[in-house]
PDB file of all heavy atoms in Angstrom:
ATOM      1  N   SER L 105      -4.261  -3.481 -12.369  1.00 92.00           N
ATOM      2  CA  SER L 105      -3.329  -4.346 -13.091  1.00 92.00           C
ATOM      3  C   SER L 105      -1.956  -3.708 -13.253  1.00 92.00           C
ATOM      4  O   SER L 105      -0.937  -4.410 -13.314  1.00 92.00           O
ATOM      5  CB  SER L 105      -3.908  -4.711 -14.459  1.00 92.00           C
ATOM      6  OG  SER L 105      -4.124  -3.572 -15.256  1.00 92.00           O
ATOM      7  N   SER L 106      -1.893  -2.380 -13.318  1.00 91.00           N
ATOM      8  CA  SER L 106      -0.597  -1.711 -13.431  1.00 91.00           C
ATOM      9  C   SER L 106       0.212  -1.879 -12.151  1.00 91.00           C
ATOM     10  O   SER L 106       1.429  -2.083 -12.189  1.00 91.00           O
ATOM     11  CB  SER L 106      -0.790  -0.226 -13.744  1.00 91.00           C
ATOM     12  OG  SER L 106      -1.435  -0.054 -14.982  1.00 91.00           O
ATOM     13  N   ALA L 107      -0.456  -1.780 -11.009  1.00 91.00           N
ATOM     14  CA  ALA L 107       0.226  -1.999  -9.738  1.00 91.00           C
ATOM     15  C   ALA L 107       0.728  -3.432  -9.639  1.00 91.00           C
ATOM     16  O   ALA L 107       1.850  -3.684  -9.185  1.00 91.00           O
ATOM     17  CB  ALA L 107      -0.720  -1.689  -8.580  1.00 91.00           C
ATOM     18  N   VAL L 108      -0.096  -4.380 -10.061  1.00 95.00           N
ATOM     19  CA  VAL L 108       0.301  -5.784 -10.023  1.00 95.00           C
ATOM     20  C   VAL L 108       1.508  -6.022 -10.921  1.00 95.00           C
ATOM     21  O   VAL L 108       2.440  -6.755 -10.557  1.00 95.00           O
ATOM     22  CB  VAL L 108      -0.883  -6.683 -10.435  1.00 95.00           C
ATOM     23  CG1 VAL L 108      -0.416  -8.119 -10.678  1.00 95.00           C
ATOM     24  CG2 VAL L 108      -1.966  -6.657  -9.362  1.00 95.00           C
ATOM     25  N   ALA L 109       1.529  -5.406 -12.101  1.00 95.00           N
ATOM     26  CA  ALA L 109       2.674  -5.559 -13.005  1.00 95.00           C
ATOM     27  C   ALA L 109       3.950  -4.994 -12.384  1.00 95.00           C
ATOM     28  O   ALA L 109       5.032  -5.595 -12.494  1.00 95.00           O
ATOM     29  CB  ALA L 109       2.381  -4.865 -14.333  1.00 95.00           C
ATOM     30  N   ALA L 110       3.840  -3.841 -11.714  1.00 94.00           N
ATOM     31  CA  ALA L 110       5.006  -3.247 -11.058  1.00 94.00           C
ATOM     32  C   ALA L 110       5.499  -4.126  -9.919  1.00 94.00           C
ATOM     33  O   ALA L 110       6.710  -4.288  -9.716  1.00 94.00           O
ATOM     34  CB  ALA L 110       4.669  -1.847 -10.557  1.00 94.00           C
ATOM     35  N   LEU L 111       4.571  -4.707  -9.163  1.00 96.00           N
ATOM     36  CA  LEU L 111       4.961  -5.595  -8.078  1.00 96.00           C
ATOM     37  C   LEU L 111       5.623  -6.853  -8.626  1.00 96.00           C
ATOM     38  O   LEU L 111       6.608  -7.346  -8.070  1.00 96.00           O
ATOM     39  CB  LEU L 111       3.737  -5.962  -7.235  1.00 96.00           C
ATOM     40  CG  LEU L 111       3.958  -6.996  -6.127  1.00 96.00           C
ATOM     41  CD1 LEU L 111       5.067  -6.567  -5.178  1.00 96.00           C
ATOM     42  CD2 LEU L 111       2.647  -7.238  -5.365  1.00 96.00           C
ATOM     43  N   ARG L 112       5.083  -7.363  -9.733  1.00 97.00           N
ATOM     44  CA  ARG L 112       5.680  -8.564 -10.327  1.00 97.00           C
ATOM     45  C   ARG L 112       7.115  -8.278 -10.766  1.00 97.00           C
ATOM     46  O   ARG L 112       8.012  -9.117 -10.597  1.00 97.00           O
ATOM     47  CB  ARG L 112       4.841  -9.008 -11.519  1.00 97.00           C
ATOM     48  CG  ARG L 112       5.263 -10.348 -12.099  1.00 97.00           C
ATOM     49  CD  ARG L 112       5.008 -11.457 -11.103  1.00 97.00           C
ATOM     50  NE  ARG L 112       5.708 -12.681 -11.469  1.00 97.00           N
ATOM     51  CZ  ARG L 112       5.839 -13.738 -10.676  1.00 97.00           C
ATOM     52  NH1 ARG L 112       5.334 -13.697  -9.459  1.00 97.00           N
ATOM     53  NH2 ARG L 112       6.466 -14.810 -11.074  1.00 97.00           N
ATOM     54  N   GLU L 113       7.346  -7.100 -11.294  1.00 97.00           N
ATOM     55  CA  GLU L 113       8.699  -6.717 -11.698  1.00 97.00           C
ATOM     56  C   GLU L 113       9.634  -6.675 -10.488  1.00 97.00           C
ATOM     57  O   GLU L 113      10.779  -7.130 -10.547  1.00 97.00           O
ATOM     58  CB  GLU L 113       8.667  -5.353 -12.389  1.00 97.00           C
ATOM     59  CG  GLU L 113      10.018  -4.875 -12.887  1.00 97.00           C
ATOM     60  CD  GLU L 113       9.940  -3.535 -13.592  1.00 97.00           C
ATOM     61  OE1 GLU L 113       8.819  -3.084 -13.896  1.00 97.00           O
ATOM     62  OE2 GLU L 113      11.005  -2.932 -13.831  1.00 97.00           O
ATOM     63  N   ARG L 114       9.125  -6.136  -9.380  1.00 96.00           N
ATOM     64  CA  ARG L 114       9.929  -6.108  -8.157  1.00 96.00           C
ATOM     65  C   ARG L 114      10.255  -7.516  -7.686  1.00 96.00           C
ATOM     66  O   ARG L 114      11.403  -7.807  -7.295  1.00 96.00           O
ATOM     67  CB  ARG L 114       9.169  -5.352  -7.069  1.00 96.00           C
ATOM     68  CG  ARG L 114       9.839  -5.424  -5.709  1.00 96.00           C
ATOM     69  CD  ARG L 114       8.937  -4.928  -4.596  1.00 96.00           C
ATOM     70  NE  ARG L 114       9.469  -5.268  -3.292  1.00 96.00           N
ATOM     71  CZ  ARG L 114       8.792  -5.184  -2.151  1.00 96.00           C
ATOM     72  NH1 ARG L 114       7.537  -4.763  -2.163  1.00 96.00           N
ATOM     73  NH2 ARG L 114       9.356  -5.528  -1.016  1.00 96.00           N
ATOM     74  N   ILE L 115       9.256  -8.391  -7.701  1.00 97.00           N
ATOM     75  CA  ILE L 115       9.460  -9.774  -7.265  1.00 97.00           C
ATOM     76  C   ILE L 115      10.563 -10.444  -8.082  1.00 97.00           C
ATOM     77  O   ILE L 115      11.458 -11.105  -7.532  1.00 97.00           O
ATOM     78  CB  ILE L 115       8.138 -10.558  -7.372  1.00 97.00           C
ATOM     79  CG1 ILE L 115       7.167 -10.101  -6.263  1.00 97.00           C
ATOM     80  CG2 ILE L 115       8.377 -12.057  -7.279  1.00 97.00           C
ATOM     81  CD1 ILE L 115       5.757 -10.635  -6.418  1.00 97.00           C
ATOM     82  N   CYS L 116      10.525 -10.264  -9.376  1.00 97.00           N
ATOM     83  CA  CYS L 116      11.537 -10.863 -10.247  1.00 97.00           C
ATOM     84  C   CYS L 116      12.916 -10.252 -10.002  1.00 97.00           C
ATOM     85  O   CYS L 116      13.924 -10.954  -9.949  1.00 97.00           O
ATOM     86  CB  CYS L 116      11.129 -10.706 -11.703  1.00 97.00           C
ATOM     87  SG  CYS L 116       9.662 -11.670 -12.173  1.00 97.00           S
ATOM     88  N   ALA L 117      12.942  -8.918  -9.823  1.00 97.00           N
ATOM     89  CA  ALA L 117      14.217  -8.232  -9.611  1.00 97.00           C
ATOM     90  C   ALA L 117      14.873  -8.662  -8.306  1.00 97.00           C
ATOM     91  O   ALA L 117      16.106  -8.659  -8.194  1.00 97.00           O
ATOM     92  CB  ALA L 117      13.999  -6.719  -9.617  1.00 97.00           C
ATOM     93  N   GLU L 118      14.076  -9.043  -7.315  1.00 96.00           N
ATOM     94  CA  GLU L 118      14.619  -9.444  -6.025  1.00 96.00           C
ATOM     95  C   GLU L 118      14.816 -10.951  -5.927  1.00 96.00           C
ATOM     96  O   GLU L 118      15.125 -11.466  -4.842  1.00 96.00           O
ATOM     97  CB  GLU L 118      13.700  -8.947  -4.905  1.00 96.00           C
ATOM     98  CG  GLU L 118      13.640  -7.429  -4.824  1.00 96.00           C
ATOM     99  CD  GLU L 118      12.885  -6.924  -3.610  1.00 96.00           C
ATOM    100  OE1 GLU L 118      12.670  -7.708  -2.660  1.00 96.00           O
ATOM    101  OE2 GLU L 118      12.513  -5.735  -3.600  1.00 96.00           O
ATOM    102  N   GLY L 119      14.623 -11.657  -7.034  1.00 96.00           N
ATOM    103  CA  GLY L 119      14.868 -13.088  -7.049  1.00 96.00           C
ATOM    104  C   GLY L 119      13.873 -13.890  -6.236  1.00 96.00           C
ATOM    105  O   GLY L 119      14.223 -14.955  -5.692  1.00 96.00           O
ATOM    106  N   LEU L 120      12.632 -13.433  -6.171  1.00 97.00           N
ATOM    107  CA  LEU L 120      11.617 -14.090  -5.354  1.00 97.00           C
ATOM    108  C   LEU L 120      10.549 -14.797  -6.176  1.00 97.00           C
ATOM    109  O   LEU L 120       9.511 -15.192  -5.638  1.00 97.00           O
ATOM    110  CB  LEU L 120      10.956 -13.066  -4.432  1.00 97.00           C
ATOM    111  CG  LEU L 120      11.865 -12.358  -3.430  1.00 97.00           C
ATOM    112  CD1 LEU L 120      11.097 -11.270  -2.691  1.00 97.00           C
ATOM    113  CD2 LEU L 120      12.453 -13.371  -2.440  1.00 97.00           C
ATOM    114  N   ALA L 121      10.773 -14.957  -7.467  1.00 96.00           N
ATOM    115  CA  ALA L 121       9.737 -15.503  -8.349  1.00 96.00           C
ATOM    116  C   ALA L 121       9.331 -16.922  -7.973  1.00 96.00           C
ATOM    117  O   ALA L 121       8.221 -17.355  -8.290  1.00 96.00           O
ATOM    118  CB  ALA L 121      10.215 -15.460  -9.796  1.00 96.00           C
ATOM    119  N   ASP L 122      10.199 -17.649  -7.274  1.00 96.00           N
ATOM    120  CA  ASP L 122       9.865 -19.021  -6.898  1.00 96.00           C
ATOM    121  C   ASP L 122       9.011 -19.091  -5.639  1.00 96.00           C
ATOM    122  O   ASP L 122       8.491 -20.162  -5.303  1.00 96.00           O
ATOM    123  CB  ASP L 122      11.141 -19.842  -6.699  1.00 96.00           C
ATOM    124  CG  ASP L 122      12.035 -19.286  -5.598  1.00 96.00           C
ATOM    125  OD1 ASP L 122      11.932 -18.070  -5.312  1.00 96.00           O
ATOM    126  OD2 ASP L 122      12.832 -20.056  -5.024  1.00 96.00           O
ATOM    127  N   ARG L 123       8.834 -17.957  -4.940  1.00 96.00           N
ATOM    128  CA  ARG L 123       8.041 -17.983  -3.703  1.00 96.00           C
ATOM    129  C   ARG L 123       7.067 -16.822  -3.566  1.00 96.00           C
ATOM    130  O   ARG L 123       6.468 -16.624  -2.503  1.00 96.00           O
ATOM    131  CB  ARG L 123       8.952 -18.005  -2.487  1.00 96.00           C
ATOM    132  CG  ARG L 123      10.076 -16.992  -2.527  1.00 96.00           C
ATOM    133  CD  ARG L 123      10.987 -17.133  -1.331  1.00 96.00           C
ATOM    134  NE  ARG L 123      12.356 -16.795  -1.653  1.00 96.00           N
ATOM    135  CZ  ARG L 123      13.252 -16.425  -0.748  1.00 96.00           C
ATOM    136  NH1 ARG L 123      12.918 -16.358   0.513  1.00 96.00           N
ATOM    137  NH2 ARG L 123      14.487 -16.142  -1.111  1.00 96.00           N
ATOM    138  N   ALA L 124       6.908 -16.049  -4.614  1.00 97.00           N
ATOM    139  CA  ALA L 124       5.972 -14.929  -4.580  1.00 97.00           C
ATOM    140  C   ALA L 124       5.262 -14.822  -5.922  1.00 97.00           C
ATOM    141  O   ALA L 124       5.875 -15.004  -6.981  1.00 97.00           O
ATOM    142  CB  ALA L 124       6.692 -13.615  -4.261  1.00 97.00           C
ATOM    143  N   THR L 125       3.972 -14.536  -5.877  1.00 97.00           N
ATOM    144  CA  THR L 125       3.190 -14.410  -7.092  1.00 97.00           C
ATOM    145  C   THR L 125       2.204 -13.264  -6.949  1.00 97.00           C
ATOM    146  O   THR L 125       2.065 -12.682  -5.862  1.00 97.00           O
ATOM    147  CB  THR L 125       2.438 -15.730  -7.391  1.00 97.00           C
ATOM    148  OG1 THR L 125       1.829 -15.650  -8.673  1.00 97.00           O
ATOM    149  CG2 THR L 125       1.369 -15.996  -6.343  1.00 97.00           C
ATOM    150  N   THR L 126       1.511 -12.926  -8.030  1.00 97.00           N
ATOM    151  CA  THR L 126       0.558 -11.823  -8.033  1.00 97.00           C
ATOM    152  C   THR L 126      -0.701 -12.221  -8.800  1.00 97.00           C
ATOM    153  O   THR L 126      -0.654 -13.087  -9.684  1.00 97.00           O
ATOM    154  CB  THR L 126       1.152 -10.567  -8.694  1.00 97.00           C
ATOM    155  OG1 THR L 126       1.550 -10.884 -10.034  1.00 97.00           O
ATOM    156  CG2 THR L 126       2.360 -10.050  -7.919  1.00 97.00           C
ATOM    157  N   LEU L 127      -1.797 -11.558  -8.468  1.00 95.00           N
ATOM    158  CA  LEU L 127      -3.069 -11.776  -9.147  1.00 95.00           C
ATOM    159  C   LEU L 127      -3.767 -10.447  -9.330  1.00 95.00           C
ATOM    160  O   LEU L 127      -3.731  -9.590  -8.438  1.00 95.00           O
ATOM    161  CB  LEU L 127      -3.985 -12.685  -8.320  1.00 95.00           C
ATOM    162  CG  LEU L 127      -3.559 -14.131  -8.061  1.00 95.00           C
ATOM    163  CD1 LEU L 127      -4.521 -14.770  -7.062  1.00 95.00           C
ATOM    164  CD2 LEU L 127      -3.547 -14.918  -9.360  1.00 95.00           C
ATOM    165  N   VAL L 128      -4.414 -10.259 -10.472  1.00 95.00           N
ATOM    166  CA  VAL L 128      -5.338  -9.142 -10.632  1.00 95.00           C
ATOM    167  C   VAL L 128      -6.706  -9.644 -10.183  1.00 95.00           C
ATOM    168  O   VAL L 128      -7.274 -10.553 -10.797  1.00 95.00           O
ATOM    169  CB  VAL L 128      -5.397  -8.653 -12.096  1.00 95.00           C
ATOM    170  CG1 VAL L 128      -6.429  -7.537 -12.238  1.00 95.00           C
ATOM    171  CG2 VAL L 128      -4.027  -8.163 -12.545  1.00 95.00           C
ATOM    172  N   GLY L 129      -7.199  -9.108  -9.081  1.00 94.00           N
ATOM    173  CA  GLY L 129      -8.453  -9.596  -8.530  1.00 94.00           C
ATOM    174  C   GLY L 129      -9.110  -8.569  -7.633  1.00 94.00           C
ATOM    175  O   GLY L 129      -8.467  -7.637  -7.152  1.00 94.00           O
ATOM    176  N   ASP L 130     -10.387  -8.752  -7.411  1.00 93.00           N
ATOM    177  CA  ASP L 130     -11.217  -7.855  -6.617  1.00 93.00           C
ATOM    178  C   ASP L 130     -11.476  -8.486  -5.256  1.00 93.00           C
ATOM    179  O   ASP L 130     -11.974  -9.620  -5.181  1.00 93.00           O
ATOM    180  CB  ASP L 130     -12.532  -7.613  -7.362  1.00 93.00           C
ATOM    181  CG  ASP L 130     -13.392  -6.524  -6.767  1.00 93.00           C
ATOM    182  OD1 ASP L 130     -13.181  -6.175  -5.586  1.00 93.00           O
ATOM    183  OD2 ASP L 130     -14.288  -6.027  -7.466  1.00 93.00           O
ATOM    184  N   ALA L 131     -11.157  -7.779  -4.180  1.00 92.00           N
ATOM    185  CA  ALA L 131     -11.387  -8.297  -2.832  1.00 92.00           C
ATOM    186  C   ALA L 131     -12.859  -8.558  -2.581  1.00 92.00           C
ATOM    187  O   ALA L 131     -13.214  -9.356  -1.705  1.00 92.00           O
ATOM    188  CB  ALA L 131     -10.851  -7.310  -1.793  1.00 92.00           C
ATOM    189  N   GLN L 132     -13.724  -7.907  -3.337  1.00 91.00           N
ATOM    190  CA  GLN L 132     -15.171  -8.087  -3.180  1.00 91.00           C
ATOM    191  C   GLN L 132     -15.669  -9.346  -3.879  1.00 91.00           C
ATOM    192  O   GLN L 132     -16.843  -9.699  -3.741  1.00 91.00           O
ATOM    193  CB  GLN L 132     -15.902  -6.882  -3.778  1.00 91.00           C
ATOM    194  CG  GLN L 132     -15.498  -5.560  -3.169  1.00 91.00           C
ATOM    195  CD  GLN L 132     -15.934  -4.384  -4.023  1.00 91.00           C
ATOM    196  OE1 GLN L 132     -16.588  -3.477  -3.531  1.00 91.00           O
ATOM    197  NE2 GLN L 132     -15.574  -4.394  -5.296  1.00 91.00           N
ATOM    198  N   ASP L 133     -14.836  -9.991  -4.653  1.00 92.00           N
ATOM    199  CA  ASP L 133     -15.256 -11.123  -5.472  1.00 92.00           C
ATOM    200  C   ASP L 133     -14.197 -12.211  -5.421  1.00 92.00           C
ATOM    201  O   ASP L 133     -13.677 -12.651  -6.450  1.00 92.00           O
ATOM    202  CB  ASP L 133     -15.490 -10.641  -6.913  1.00 92.00           C
ATOM    203  CG  ASP L 133     -16.282 -11.632  -7.748  1.00 92.00           C
ATOM    204  OD1 ASP L 133     -16.868 -12.575  -7.165  1.00 92.00           O
ATOM    205  OD2 ASP L 133     -16.307 -11.482  -8.985  1.00 92.00           O
ATOM    206  N   SER L 134     -13.896 -12.666  -4.212  1.00 93.00           N
ATOM    207  CA  SER L 134     -12.773 -13.592  -4.018  1.00 93.00           C
ATOM    208  C   SER L 134     -13.007 -14.949  -4.673  1.00 93.00           C
ATOM    209  O   SER L 134     -12.043 -15.668  -4.957  1.00 93.00           O
ATOM    210  CB  SER L 134     -12.497 -13.779  -2.523  1.00 93.00           C
ATOM    211  OG  SER L 134     -13.653 -14.235  -1.846  1.00 93.00           O
ATOM    212  N   VAL L 135     -14.255 -15.309  -4.940  1.00 91.00           N
ATOM    213  CA  VAL L 135     -14.520 -16.611  -5.548  1.00 91.00           C
ATOM    214  C   VAL L 135     -13.853 -16.737  -6.911  1.00 91.00           C
ATOM    215  O   VAL L 135     -13.500 -17.839  -7.344  1.00 91.00           O
ATOM    216  CB  VAL L 135     -16.045 -16.861  -5.671  1.00 91.00           C
ATOM    217  CG1 VAL L 135     -16.678 -15.906  -6.677  1.00 91.00           C
ATOM    218  CG2 VAL L 135     -16.331 -18.309  -6.048  1.00 91.00           C
ATOM    219  N   ARG L 136     -13.618 -15.620  -7.592  1.00 93.00           N
ATOM    220  CA  ARG L 136     -13.037 -15.661  -8.931  1.00 93.00           C
ATOM    221  C   ARG L 136     -11.549 -16.021  -8.922  1.00 93.00           C
ATOM    222  O   ARG L 136     -11.023 -16.488  -9.931  1.00 93.00           O
ATOM    223  CB  ARG L 136     -13.228 -14.308  -9.631  1.00 93.00           C
ATOM    224  CG  ARG L 136     -14.669 -13.991  -9.985  1.00 93.00           C
ATOM    225  CD  ARG L 136     -14.766 -12.672 -10.726  1.00 93.00           C
ATOM    226  NE  ARG L 136     -16.140 -12.348 -11.065  1.00 93.00           N
ATOM    227  CZ  ARG L 136     -16.749 -12.733 -12.188  1.00 93.00           C
ATOM    228  NH1 ARG L 136     -16.084 -13.455 -13.074  1.00 93.00           N
ATOM    229  NH2 ARG L 136     -18.000 -12.388 -12.421  1.00 93.00           N
ATOM    230  N   TRP L 137     -10.865 -15.780  -7.804  1.00 94.00           N
ATOM    231  CA  TRP L 137      -9.424 -16.044  -7.768  1.00 94.00           C
ATOM    232  C   TRP L 137      -8.997 -16.934  -6.608  1.00 94.00           C
ATOM    233  O   TRP L 137      -7.811 -17.222  -6.449  1.00 94.00           O
ATOM    234  CB  TRP L 137      -8.648 -14.731  -7.714  1.00 94.00           C
ATOM    235  CG  TRP L 137      -9.162 -13.712  -6.723  1.00 94.00           C
ATOM    236  CD1 TRP L 137     -10.006 -12.671  -6.974  1.00 94.00           C
ATOM    237  CD2 TRP L 137      -8.875 -13.639  -5.324  1.00 94.00           C
ATOM    238  NE1 TRP L 137     -10.266 -11.952  -5.827  1.00 94.00           N
ATOM    239  CE2 TRP L 137      -9.574 -12.529  -4.801  1.00 94.00           C
ATOM    240  CE3 TRP L 137      -8.089 -14.400  -4.468  1.00 94.00           C
ATOM    241  CZ2 TRP L 137      -9.523 -12.167  -3.452  1.00 94.00           C
ATOM    242  CZ3 TRP L 137      -8.025 -14.049  -3.113  1.00 94.00           C
ATOM    243  CH2 TRP L 137      -8.746 -12.941  -2.635  1.00 94.00           C
ATOM    244  N   SER L 138      -9.941 -17.408  -5.807  1.00 92.00           N
ATOM    245  CA  SER L 138      -9.599 -18.145  -4.590  1.00 92.00           C
ATOM    246  C   SER L 138      -8.810 -19.425  -4.878  1.00 92.00           C
ATOM    247  O   SER L 138      -7.969 -19.831  -4.061  1.00 92.00           O
ATOM    248  CB  SER L 138     -10.867 -18.490  -3.804  1.00 92.00           C
ATOM    249  OG  SER L 138     -11.742 -19.281  -4.590  1.00 92.00           O
ATOM    250  N   THR L 139      -9.055 -20.060  -6.014  1.00 92.00           N
ATOM    251  CA  THR L 139      -8.347 -21.305  -6.314  1.00 92.00           C
ATOM    252  C   THR L 139      -6.872 -21.084  -6.606  1.00 92.00           C
ATOM    253  O   THR L 139      -6.089 -22.035  -6.618  1.00 92.00           O
ATOM    254  CB  THR L 139      -8.986 -22.015  -7.519  1.00 92.00           C
ATOM    255  OG1 THR L 139      -8.972 -21.143  -8.654  1.00 92.00           O
ATOM    256  CG2 THR L 139     -10.431 -22.411  -7.206  1.00 92.00           C
ATOM    257  N   GLN L 140      -6.479 -19.832  -6.832  1.00 93.00           N
ATOM    258  CA  GLN L 140      -5.078 -19.529  -7.137  1.00 93.00           C
ATOM    259  C   GLN L 140      -4.282 -19.116  -5.900  1.00 93.00           C
ATOM    260  O   GLN L 140      -3.090 -18.820  -6.001  1.00 93.00           O
ATOM    261  CB  GLN L 140      -5.008 -18.409  -8.176  1.00 93.00           C
ATOM    262  CG  GLN L 140      -5.724 -18.746  -9.476  1.00 93.00           C
ATOM    263  CD  GLN L 140      -5.707 -17.588 -10.442  1.00 93.00           C
ATOM    264  OE1 GLN L 140      -4.653 -17.194 -10.955  1.00 93.00           O
ATOM    265  NE2 GLN L 140      -6.877 -17.011 -10.692  1.00 93.00           N
ATOM    266  N   VAL L 141      -4.937 -19.087  -4.748  1.00 91.00           N
ATOM    267  CA  VAL L 141      -4.274 -18.673  -3.515  1.00 91.00           C
ATOM    268  C   VAL L 141      -3.370 -19.797  -3.012  1.00 91.00           C
ATOM    269  O   VAL L 141      -3.805 -20.949  -2.913  1.00 91.00           O
ATOM    270  CB  VAL L 141      -5.319 -18.308  -2.447  1.00 91.00           C
ATOM    271  CG1 VAL L 141      -4.663 -18.137  -1.079  1.00 91.00           C
ATOM    272  CG2 VAL L 141      -6.061 -17.041  -2.843  1.00 91.00           C
ATOM    273  N   PRO L 142      -2.106 -19.498  -2.697  1.00 92.00           N
ATOM    274  CA  PRO L 142      -1.207 -20.547  -2.208  1.00 92.00           C
ATOM    275  C   PRO L 142      -1.498 -20.900  -0.754  1.00 92.00           C
ATOM    276  O   PRO L 142      -2.055 -20.104   0.000  1.00 92.00           O
ATOM    277  CB  PRO L 142       0.174 -19.903  -2.344  1.00 92.00           C
ATOM    278  CG  PRO L 142      -0.088 -18.438  -2.176  1.00 92.00           C
ATOM    279  CD  PRO L 142      -1.432 -18.194  -2.819  1.00 92.00           C
ATOM    280  N   GLY L 143      -1.091 -22.095  -0.378  1.00 91.00           N
ATOM    281  CA  GLY L 143      -1.176 -22.514   1.015  1.00 91.00           C
ATOM    282  C   GLY L 143      -2.532 -23.057   1.414  1.00 91.00           C
ATOM    283  O   GLY L 143      -3.561 -22.752   0.805  1.00 91.00           O
ATOM    284  N   ARG L 144      -2.532 -23.821   2.485  1.00 93.00           N
ATOM    285  CA  ARG L 144      -3.770 -24.354   3.062  1.00 93.00           C
ATOM    286  C   ARG L 144      -4.183 -23.578   4.301  1.00 93.00           C
ATOM    287  O   ARG L 144      -5.326 -23.669   4.733  1.00 93.00           O
ATOM    288  CB  ARG L 144      -3.578 -25.832   3.417  1.00 93.00           C
ATOM    289  CG  ARG L 144      -3.201 -26.704   2.217  1.00 93.00           C
ATOM    290  CD  ARG L 144      -3.060 -28.168   2.611  1.00 93.00           C
ATOM    291  NE  ARG L 144      -4.329 -28.725   3.088  1.00 93.00           N
ATOM    292  CZ  ARG L 144      -4.462 -29.975   3.515  1.00 93.00           C
ATOM    293  NH1 ARG L 144      -3.398 -30.775   3.539  1.00 93.00           N
ATOM    294  NH2 ARG L 144      -5.628 -30.423   3.924  1.00 93.00           N
TER     295      ARG L 144
END
Side-chain angles (χ1 to χ4, degrees):
S105 61
S106 298
V108 168
L111 175 56
R112 188 66 195 169
E113 182 179 348
R114 172 192 168 193
I115 288 170
C116 292
E118 295 188 17
L120 299 174
D122 61 336
R123 47 184 148 158
T125 188
T126 58
L127 296 172
V128 177
D130 190 341
Q132 302 164 127
D133 196 13
S134 57
V135 67
R136 291 183 180 271
W137 46 264
S138 59
T139 58
Q140 301 176 67
V141 169
R144 301 182 63 181

